[in-house]
Amino acid sequence: MNICVLMGRLTRDPETRYSAQGQGVGRFSIAVDRRFKREGQPDADFFDGVCFGRQAEFMDKYLRKGTKVVING
């Protein structure tokens, strides 16, 4: 089994929309600092994510741009 754990900061406020059935769909983007930098330059990787249901509602209510988050997947 493969597991991916990302820790970074939100690059923008999460966007939450609702499906026809009323389920929340949240979209977000995070910036993760690289552990090993090239030539001493700061570098980051950017990841887009989607969450559903109560997680989407939680993100919309409590998280804003710059908030540090940990994502398991």
Side-chain angles (χ1 to χ4, degrees):
M1 178 190 307
N2 293 328
I3 296 174
C4 180
V5 179
L6 301 172
M7 182 171 64
R9 297 194 179 270
L10 292 174
T11 60
R12 62 178 188 259
D13 289 345
E15 300 172 11
T16 302
R17 297 183 182 172
Y18 292 90
S19 67
Q21 294 80 20
Q23 181 180 16
V25 178
R27 295 187 182 277
F28 60 92
S29 176
I30 63 171
V32 177
D33 290 331
R34 285 197 178 189
R35 190 170 183 181
F36 302 102
K37 301 176 186 340
R38 290 183 232 151
E39 301 171 12
Q41 298 294 326
D43 201 6
D45 293 316
F46 296 90
F47 297 92
D48 293 324
V50 178
C51 58
F52 301 95
R54 297 194 64 161
Q55 290 176 345
E57 294 169 6
F58 179 87
M59 286 190 71
D60 186 48
K61 187 173 181 180
Y62 295 108
L63 303 181
R64 297 288 171 246
K65 178 180 177 179
T67 304
K68 188 173 257 191
V69 295
V70 177
I71 307 295
N72 264 336

